[in-house]
Each structure stands twice: as C-alpha cells, then as structure tokens.
Amino acid sequence: MTAPGAHTARTVWLDLTATGPQPVAPGSEHHQGREIWGITWAVRRAVHRLRRPARRIAYGPGAQQWGELRLPAGTGPAPVAVLLHGGFWRSVWGADLMDAMAIDLADRGFAAWNLEYRSPDRHGWAATTADVAAGLAAGPAFAGAADPRVDPSRLVLFGHSAGGQLAVRAAADAPGAVSVVVSQAGVLDLTEGRRRGIGTGAVAAALRGDEAALAASDPLLRLPLGVPVIVVQGRADGLDLVDMSRRYARAALAAGDRVVRLEPAADHFDVIDPRTPAWAATMNAVTKILT
C-alpha cells in the first residue's frame, strides 16, 4: 500500500496496437489498445500529474486495485467525490479518463478519489462489482484519515459511461453510504443495451450470459435508488445513450427518487471535461443538493 503523502514519478509507455496484458517497468503505466487516443490520453495524464500530483493508494492486492487521492483545497468541511471511469467495461480504458475531473473537484474543495478497478473482460463481472464496492468504502476512509477537514459522510459518486452503471449499482448495494449519484452519459439500461448491442456488444461481453448479474446490475431494475441522482447526458452523444438516460430519469421519478436531468449541448466526453458548460451545470446541481 502506498503511504499517504507519497508520490512517485511514473513513466507512461504507449502501445497503439496491443490488446492483451503487456509487461511494463516498475512504476510505469501502459496505455494499450487505444490507437491514436492512447497518445492523447497519455499526454493528458502526464500533464495532470505534474499539475496536481495524486497519492496512489491500494485497496486490494491486484494491479488494478488502487485509487488516486487528491486532497481538497481551501478549508473544510470537505465532501468526498468518488470517480468511476467508463470504457464499456473494457480494460484498455482506465482511471486516467477522470484525471481532469479529479483535479477540478479537489480545487473546488472535495477530497477526490479516482478509482481503478479490475475489468470484466479479464477478471469477470463479480471482480468488477467487488472492486467498486471495496473502493467505494476505502476512499472516504483514506481521505478522512489523511485530512481532518474531510467529511466522509458527505459522498458524491460520479460515474461516466459504463461507470454510470457501476455508480448506480454501487449506491443501490450500499444504502446510506452515498449522498448523491451523478451519471455522466451512463449506460443506465443494461437489458436494452444488450438487446441493441451497444458498444459492439459490450454488455453481452461483460456479463457473459449471467442473468442473475444482469438483474442485480441493471440500473432500471434497481429502482428506487433511494438517493438523489443527477442524470447528465449530452444531446450530441449516441442516440442509444440519450434514450437510456431519458427513460431512466422518467422511471426514477416515477419510483419516487429525487432526479435532476441535465441534457446539455455536449458529446460523450464533454460531460467529464471541467472546461465545458456541461460540467459547470453538473457541479451547480451537485452543490444545490449538498447544501
């Protein structure tokens, strides 16, 4: 486990074609299988690390079982933000997708816990679910131990794309642990997503025919959630995701949940970009609920 406060410089290695596990030097990161996107995100990752270093802390023994903690700026009390990245549950994508968000949240006075987890394509759906639950419990505890300004009882759970599904599932599985759930272009209907084959069959590939896992994990089947949910969905995103977010918001309202639906003029990644109006609107909604 990385000691709180420790920070080690890391090298980012690029392989634009690799799709399987690749050996890397100690302290390095391997951005693989992303084609040209690999260069873009690796450069961003390096910039973010220089701008606002994070403390990497393991919450389990696996290579993907870690989170990066950025402590809040300003004075307390500080809520905790837990970030779950997307990538259609495929291991070629990772927590670096949420780096810019994590920095912005820390600058706004949140303790930001950017969570990595084992993906189902290599480890199975149960491992992914277990990691998210463990990481969700560990992050606030680590943050509270590291900084007395942190209030672990005020927890905002952000999930982008496939991470939106993981966030809703995690909140449903841990009643009382989460104050607000924010779905950012979330995959909020696994049953329909599987039927439509979204993400080139991503839902079917992740679940591997496990109907019990589908029933436990489909956000629409876990209503009511019991906590406020902010559904952020850019209008310039894929039509399937737009439709799912709208239908989830309607169903959650009908089930008695408090729902804020935001549909900005934004694409799939604008909603996690702190420079965009979509992000400003998201944080305005979060602030109103927390206060």
Side-chain angles (χ1 to χ4, degrees), residues 19 35 41 43 53 68 78 82 109 111 115 117 119 153 159 193 197 205 215 225 262:
T19 56
E35 300 180 349
W41 287 101
V43 170
E68 290 188 335
V82 177
L115 187 66
Y117 52 85
S119 297
S153 69
L225 188 59
L262 302 176

Side-chain angles (χ1 to χ4, degrees), residues 47-266:
V47 171
H48 293 322
R49 282 184 171 279
L50 289 172
R51 174 184 165 201
R52 192 76 144 75
R55 305 176 185 180
R56 179 168 294 196
I57 307 174
Y59 63 86
Q64 289 80 42
Q65 293 176 298
W66 51 264
E68 290 188 335
L69 178 64
R70 288 178 170 90
L71 294 176
T75 59
V80 178
V82 177
L83 284 62
L84 297 175
H85 70 82
F88 276 131
W89 309 281
R90 292 175 176 131
S91 52
V92 295
W93 296 100
D96 59 290
L97 292 173
M98 310 294 266
D99 278 345
M101 261 183 59
I103 291 171
D104 186 80
L105 284 161
D107 288 345
R108 289 173 181 268
F110 287 76
W113 173 245
N114 189 11
L115 187 66
E116 189 55 272
Y117 52 85
R118 292 173 294 173
S119 297
D121 58 348
R122 294 183 185 169
H123 303 281
W125 190 258
T128 301
T129 301
D131 281 3
V132 171
L136 179 61
F142 285 134
D147 193 326
R149 297 171 298 166
V150 174
D151 180 2
S153 69
R154 299 170 67 214
L155 194 158
V156 183
L157 181 53
F158 292 85
H160 176 240
S161 195
Q165 175 273 319
L166 295 173
V168 172
R169 163 72 188 269
D173 285 347
V178 178
S179 303
V180 187
V181 175
V182 184
S183 169
Q184 301 165 285
V187 185
L188 299 180
D189 185 346
L190 291 187
T191 303
E192 186 65 11
R194 182 176 65 175
R195 189 187 73 80
R196 297 184 189 184
I198 64 169
T200 61
V203 177
L207 290 169
R208 303 180 189 178
D210 189 336
E211 296 302 317
L214 175 67
S217 302
D218 191 332
L220 271 174
L221 300 178
R222 297 301 302 269
L223 293 172
L225 188 59
V227 299
V229 58
I230 302 171
V231 180
V232 187
Q233 178 58 62
R235 297 195 303 275
D237 204 345
L239 294 179
D240 287 322
L241 291 178
V242 173
D243 177 53
M244 288 179 188
S245 288
R246 289 174 178 174
R247 288 189 294 106
Y248 178 84
R250 290 195 297 266
L253 278 171
D257 283 338
R258 180 181 177 184
V259 179
V260 177
R261 185 166 72 89
L262 302 176
E263 201 168 284

